[in-house]
Amino acid sequence: MSTPGAPRFALVAGEASGDLLASLVLKAMRERWPQLQAQGIGGPQMAEQGFEAWWPAQKLSVSGYVEVLRHLREILGIRDALRERLLRERPDVFIGVDAPDFNLGLEAQLRAGGVKTVHFVCPSIWAWRMKRVEKLQRGCDHVLCIFPFEPELLAKHGVAATYVGHPLANVIPMEPDQAGARATLGLPAEGEVVAVLPGSRASEVEGLLPRFLAAAALLERRRPGTTFVVPAVPVLQERIERLAASGPAPRNLVIVRGQSHAVLAACDVALVASGTATLETALFKRPMVISYATHWLTYALMKPRHLQPWIGLPNILCRDFVVPELLQSNAKPELLCGALADWLEAPERMRAVQEKFRDLHVLLRRDTATLATDAIAQVLSS
């Protein structure tokens, strides 16, 4: 049982982006409740805020229908064990951070058992999987939304929600320091720098990095002197280095441990796997090429469920193809190279998209941590 002023929270974050989002809110929660306890599934950034991980977030970091099937037994075992422990120990509030396939069903079971639940980051019901609204209705006392149009949409379905802005919009400066970032990373002060972000999951790195590095090698021939930088998720750095050594890759390739924000600040343009990193890139005001390729069966199952023509968050939020998306059979090195070169060879086009991204940054910048903590406090006291 918790004591007054020392609430007990359980959290689940399933990958690097969720770990970051959860850590930002945990910091504000600890300022409000200095004696709080926070436990569950999380990553290293949550641990820095005093979070006790019963399982590491990496256990849930699997993407795609086919890929998930390979790990399904372990993931279901973790969820069952976590559910039983939480129903036994009864935290004051459970906070599921993204990872909807794992969290929404768990939240419904916990809520049915009398545990208050908050879901942070509304699932993309406006892009695909509209049926997830029913899961939100069953499982969530409150939803914290990072995009401004989501609370009104959820209200139509009787789901309580609060727009809290996007935490990354507060973390990322409105005007990134490119020169400082290059100095920090030991990169040349002059010359073009291309960031290569193949995703934070092992399956993404294995599937996308060889394509991305082959594209970089082609671009290096076209634009000699370009520097390419890969910010490696620490647990995947050895794999990234192995892939870079075993296939086509640019000679001027730098692999750094983490530091994705420094890399995005330092670069001129980025090649990015679809996901949260595309929004981070937009907030850094960097033109990008979005790409993704997954198992053909996974793609065949997902494509009919998609309700919009875009998959990249910057395009979805701008309601236009402001940056190119090269997916599946179009995720070829020569096409990726061409799309990157198109940016570098059109400075006016680059400046125009940077202005769009500046407007997007203003829209998403709110006091996210405080707004989220206020909403959690209301659930805690209800």
Side-chain angles (χ1 to χ4, degrees):
M1 296 292 291
S2 62
T3 58
R8 293 177 59 248
F9 296 100
L11 291 88
V12 169
E15 54 188 39
S17 58
D19 180 35
L20 173 60
L21 294 176
S23 70
L24 296 172
V25 174
L26 270 172
K27 182 178 180 181
M29 290 167 63
R30 193 165 292 283
E31 290 172 359
R32 187 166 193 149
W33 301 289
Q35 303 303 315
L36 72 80
Q37 297 179 52
Q39 303 158 320
I41 299 176
Q45 296 185 82
M46 295 167 69
E48 290 177 4
Q49 302 302 324
F51 181 79
E52 178 187 351
W54 295 334
W55 289 274
Q58 196 69 22
K59 288 288 187 181
L60 308 185
S61 188
V62 182
S63 64
Y65 293 107
V66 176
E67 295 82 356
V68 167
L69 285 175
R70 296 173 184 156
H71 301 273
L72 186 59
R73 178 174 294 183
E74 181 183 19
I75 292 171
L76 292 178
I78 290 172
R79 188 166 69 175
D80 289 345
L82 178 62
R83 180 192 65 240
E84 294 307 313
R85 182 166 184 174
L86 294 179
L87 288 174
R88 184 173 64 251
E89 299 185 6
R90 306 191 66 75
D92 294 299
V93 179
F94 173 85
I95 305 170
V97 183
D98 212 358
D101 289 320
F102 186 93
N103 278 325
L104 292 180
L106 176 63
E107 287 161 4
Q109 293 170 325
L110 294 176
R111 193 181 187 203
V115 176
K116 298 173 183 176
T117 62
V118 172
H119 192 79
F120 185 23
V121 182
C122 177
S124 302
I125 55 175
W126 34 267
W128 70 308
R129 286 194 175 184
M130 192 65 190
K131 289 185 177 180
R132 277 183 170 167
V133 170
E134 298 171 3
K135 293 185 177 181
L136 293 172
Q137 290 170 329
R138 289 196 303 270
C140 302
D141 289 296
H142 207 90
V143 178
L144 306 178
C145 300
I146 60 176
F147 299 127
F149 55 84
E150 292 173 329
E152 182 179 358
L153 177 60
L154 291 177
K156 293 177 181 178
H157 298 276
V159 179
T162 300
Y163 172 52
V164 299
H166 202 296
L168 293 174
N170 292 311
V171 173
I172 297 171
M174 191 63 68
E175 300 298 334
D177 181 4
Q178 187 178 59
R182 290 192 178 192
T184 296
L185 296 170
L187 301 176
E190 303 296 329
E192 294 172 349
V193 174
V194 176
V196 178
L197 289 84
S200 60
R201 303 181 179 103
S203 58
E204 291 172 332
V205 168
E206 292 284 352
L208 295 174
L209 185 61
R211 301 167 188 251
F212 285 12
L213 293 180
L218 292 174
L219 185 62
E220 187 177 51
R221 293 181 206 165
R222 187 165 169 172
R223 302 182 73 82
T226 302
T227 301
F228 300 87
V229 189
V230 180
V233 176
V235 296
L236 298 176
Q237 183 167 351
E238 183 177 337
R239 188 174 308 199
I240 287 170
E241 291 172 347
R242 173 178 54 79
L243 289 169
S246 63
R251 288 178 295 175
N252 197 8
L253 176 66
V254 179
I255 300 173
V256 299
R257 186 177 182 84
Q259 302 185 82
S260 62
H261 283 191
V263 171
L264 288 172
C267 77
D268 297 293
V269 66
L271 177 55
V272 193
S274 177
T276 302
T278 63
L279 182 60
E280 292 178 272
T281 306
L283 292 173
F284 273 98
K285 326 300 181 303
R286 297 300 182 249
M288 76 193 84
V289 176
I290 298 172
S291 185
Y292 209 80
T294 187
H295 192 283
W296 69 268
L297 181 56
T298 295
Y299 187 73
L301 291 169
M302 291 175 64
K303 194 173 188 299
R305 302 186 182 191
H306 206 270
L307 304 178
Q308 301 192 54
W310 317 281
I311 69 157
L313 284 169
N315 289 340
I316 289 171
L317 292 169
C318 292
R319 312 295 297 174
D320 192 11
F321 282 104
V322 297
V323 299
E325 298 180 358
L326 296 175
L327 314 175
Q328 292 300 106
S329 61
N330 287 324
K332 297 175 180 177
E334 58 272 21
L335 295 179
L336 297 172
C337 168
L340 290 169
D342 286 346
W343 282 120
L344 294 170
E345 293 165 3
E348 292 185 4
R349 180 172 169 239
M350 292 177 72
R351 285 192 289 272
V353 82
Q354 287 169 337
E355 284 303 312
K356 287 183 180 290
F357 289 162
R358 191 168 283 106
D359 293 341
L360 181 61
H361 198 154
V362 171
L363 177 66
L364 297 179
R365 177 174 275 189
R366 297 290 184 273
D367 187 355
T368 300
T370 299
L371 291 170
T373 306
D374 286 346
I376 292 167
Q378 290 179 11
V379 173
L380 183 63
S381 62
S382 64

